[in-house]
Amino acid sequence: MKVARKSVALLEYMMIIAFILNEFSNVMSFYLTGNTDENMRKLISWAITLLVSAGITCYVMFTWILQKGRDWKRIIISISPLVFTVLVLMYAIFFHQGEGFIIKELIWCLLYGAPLVSVAVYSKIKDRLKEIIEKGPGAALIMMPYYVMAIAYFWNVKLETYTGDGYGGLGYLGIGYSAVVLYAFIFAALLVANKKRKIMWNSICLIEMLICTWVIVLSGSRGVLIAWAASSITAVLYSLFRRKWIALTGNLACVFGVVALIFLVPSSNAAIIRQFSFVSEVKNGDLGVAMDSQESDRLLGYIEENAQQGIGMVESANQMFYKDQTNNAVVSITNGSMARVYLFRLAIEEGLRSPFKGLGPMGYQVKYKIYPHNIFLEAFADFGFIGGLMFVVICLWLVFKFLKFALKDPTWGGLLIIMCTHAVRYCFSGNLYLSPMLLFAIAIVCLEKKHKEISTDLNNVR
């Protein structure tokens, strides 16, 4: 029995890891190689990713799904979004004559989507969602030494040396998003944990949250910082609603930690400069130039003309940058600050140009060699107005369900806070065809209504 319990505990820790699988694999490969052999580091990273993904998926499939007494209708509904995404990508491979990056997209979809859908099925069939969330702080401990080293590395990184490559082979964006997801998991654990938890456990959680928050700020990613702010605001409101004072204290401590960091870190630090540069660029009028100006229209026209010849957006922007560095729109798109505005504009224009059928599956990415960084606009560009509207309705339905369940159950409240981090990510950095947390959200909501009946059937079979 002890061996069985330890195996279940290990599996559930792996399920936490599945939420940051790519970043976790890179961190573990960094530990194992000391970051001295890049090829070996990548090989180990992919091996860990495949092992965790296959382990979780196969366990759930053969232990829970492929048994008698299942509610097959609800399980099929829960996994159908993943199956549908795979079929769409397979069609895109055929339609676009075997574009290599679409094949990679299909592999990534399965590697990151399958384990999270399996987590949803397992957590509701076995009624273990609360226990899984409580393991968040324990899983986060693995990442803490890396985060501490990353903070020391980021502390003195100046803007002129900022390349976006990150620390130890993991990009700044990846480090930031892994930290914000773990931050949300730790906070959710404080919400759902038993009141008998010891002071030591609560203290570890608070320290982990603070470390994650510093990583989030020093990553230099404004999207990550917005995701942290969205989850923190939701967490504060929910903590007040539930009167969870320890969780609230942890959140407020992290807010003060951010303020302290801004004053303590060197003023030339790349992260701090990037965090504030967006505000200054908006004040300078760069946002207005990006959204509506003759030069930005000419730039977009140049990008679309090159796209017809198979030249991607980034390459087109760089070509024009070297031709005319005085063009404000070109400088704006190449420095990364306003690039998303142009990405969004292209997606909107493509959707309006073909409102009924769009560009087709993966059409935007094939045409511009980049995704729009917003899953709603990508749905609009690839599937037209009707397809985009249907997708928005599905997402609004998910928001309604999560709010409804969260009002009744703090476990769902914790899950809501975790989802806030990804909701922001999918609006500013999201790829429609690689959105594993969206697949998880749909699966777990579909399984919620009858999870008690399913669990009862399971116990009867056993």
Side-chain angles (χ1 to χ4, degrees):
M1 288 295 291
K2 288 184 179 180
V3 175
R5 283 198 297 270
K6 289 181 178 179
S7 299
V8 170
L10 177 61
L11 173 73
E12 292 178 352
Y13 277 114
M14 288 174 63
M15 289 180 174
I16 296 290
I17 289 166
F19 287 84
I20 55 165
L21 182 52
N22 182 57
E23 291 82 6
F24 170 81
S25 299
N26 277 306
V27 169
M28 290 304 295
S29 65
F30 170 80
Y31 286 154
L32 294 171
T33 64
N35 205 40
T36 56
D37 188 333
E38 181 66 8
N39 292 327
M40 180 59 69
R41 191 194 63 76
K42 289 181 178 179
L43 182 63
I44 292 174
S45 178
W46 273 100
I48 293 172
T49 299
L50 183 61
L51 179 65
V52 174
S53 179
I56 294 172
T57 305
C58 290
Y59 176 86
V60 174
M61 281 183 61
F62 292 106
T63 307
W64 303 107
I65 295 180
L66 300 181
Q67 296 286 336
K68 296 180 180 178
R70 300 289 80 79
D71 186 335
W72 279 103
K73 181 179 178 181
R74 195 161 294 279
I75 290 176
I76 289 172
I77 292 173
S78 68
I79 66 176
S80 59
L82 174 61
V83 175
F84 177 75
T85 305
V86 168
L87 292 175
V88 167
L89 287 172
M90 291 176 66
Y91 172 79
I93 293 171
F94 172 78
F95 184 78
H96 296 292
Q97 300 179 349
E99 283 275 1
F101 80 92
I102 305 180
I103 298 174
K104 291 181 181 178
E105 196 90 347
L106 175 60
I107 295 172
W108 291 334
C109 175
L110 288 170
L111 275 176
Y112 302 133
L116 284 187
V117 171
S118 299
V119 171
V121 173
Y122 170 87
S123 64
K124 298 315 297 179
I125 286 180
K126 206 178 179 186
D127 201 14
R128 294 281 297 180
L129 181 59
K130 178 177 178 290
E131 288 75 9
I132 292 173
I133 291 176
E134 282 186 317
K135 290 180 173 62
L141 284 174
I142 301 172
M143 303 287 283
M144 289 303 124
Y146 176 87
Y147 285 164
V148 172
M149 288 187 287
I151 289 171
Y153 171 79
F154 288 148
W155 191 269
N156 294 309
V157 173
K158 295 179 173 58
L159 192 62
E160 55 267 24
T161 60
Y162 180 93
T163 62
D165 294 333
Y167 175 71
L170 186 58
Y172 291 3
L173 188 68
I175 296 175
Y177 271 120
S178 68
V180 78
V181 172
L182 285 178
Y183 169 88
F185 258 108
I186 297 163
F187 194 98
L190 287 173
L191 281 175
V192 305
N194 192 304
K195 291 182 180 179
K196 294 181 181 179
R197 286 285 190 181
K198 296 181 179 180
I199 296 176
M200 179 64 73
W201 187 84
N202 291 328
S203 301
I204 290 173
C205 289
L206 296 180
I207 293 170
E208 286 181 340
M209 287 172 67
L210 184 59
I211 292 173
C212 286
T213 302
W214 278 36
V215 170
I216 289 162
V217 178
L218 290 174
S219 71
S221 171
R222 285 154 294 209
V224 171
L225 191 60
I226 294 171
W228 173 81
S231 62
S232 294
I233 292 170
T234 305
V236 166
L237 295 175
Y238 194 78
S239 297
L240 290 171
F241 171 70
R242 285 284 175 183
R243 298 182 180 181
K244 295 286 186 175
W245 309 123
I246 294 178
L248 180 61
T249 301
N251 188 266
L252 294 177
C254 290
V255 173
F256 285 116
V258 170
V259 175
L261 178 65
I262 292 172
F263 283 101
L264 291 173
V265 77
S267 58
S268 59
N269 180 268
I272 298 301
I273 294 172
R274 279 178 57 82
Q275 301 293 12
F276 287 102
S277 65
F278 178 77
V279 177
S280 63
E281 287 168 356
V282 171
K283 289 181 178 179
N284 291 337
D286 287 350
L287 180 60
V289 170
M291 294 184 68
D292 184 23
S293 69
Q294 289 185 351
E295 56 183 326
S296 68
D297 290 340
R298 286 196 299 271
L299 174 60
L300 288 179
Y302 182 75
I303 291 172
E304 290 191 32
E305 183 180 341
N306 278 359
Q308 304 299 332
Q309 303 172 25
I311 301 174
M313 174 188 176
V314 175
E315 187 178 349
S316 296
N318 286 330
Q319 286 178 3
M320 201 166 182
F321 175 75
Y322 289 114
K323 286 182 181 179
D324 183 7
Q325 294 189 30
T326 62
N327 187 309
N328 290 333
V330 177
V331 173
S332 179
I333 195 173
T334 52
N335 72 11
S337 299
M338 297 296 172
R340 280 168 177 73
V341 177
Y342 296 93
L343 290 168
F344 294 171
R345 281 189 60 183
L346 287 170
I348 292 169
E349 289 181 9
E350 291 294 349
L352 293 174
R353 192 175 292 129
S354 182
F356 295 105
K357 62 177 183 179
L359 290 168
M362 292 290 291
Y364 186 102
Q365 294 191 45
V366 169
K367 183 173 182 178
Y368 296 106
K369 314 304 181 203
I370 192 172
Y371 55 93
H373 288 62
N374 181 293
I375 61 175
F376 301 102
L377 293 180
E378 188 166 11
F380 180 59
D382 284 0
F383 300 103
F385 178 77
I386 296 176
L389 182 61
M390 289 175 61
F391 182 67
V392 170
V393 169
I394 290 172
C395 291
L396 288 175
W397 171 74
L398 286 174
V399 171
F400 170 78
K401 287 293 186 182
F402 268 88
L403 288 173
K404 178 182 177 182
F405 297 148
L407 290 174
K408 300 177 181 179
D409 185 351
T411 303
W412 276 88
L415 204 55
L416 175 67
I417 293 165
I418 296 167
M419 291 299 163
C420 282
T421 64
H422 287 83
V424 172
R425 182 175 188 173
Y426 289 160
C427 287
F428 291 98
S429 300
N431 179 342
L432 178 64
Y433 306 93
L434 191 59
S435 304
M437 280 300 295
L438 182 61
L439 300 175
F440 168 82
I442 295 173
I444 203 162
V445 167
C446 290
L447 286 164
E448 170 62 15
K449 284 188 177 181
K450 291 188 177 180
H451 77 273
K452 291 183 179 179
E453 291 89 334
I454 296 172
S455 182
T456 301
D457 291 341
L458 175 64
N459 292 329
N460 291 336
V461 170
R462 293 168 59 190

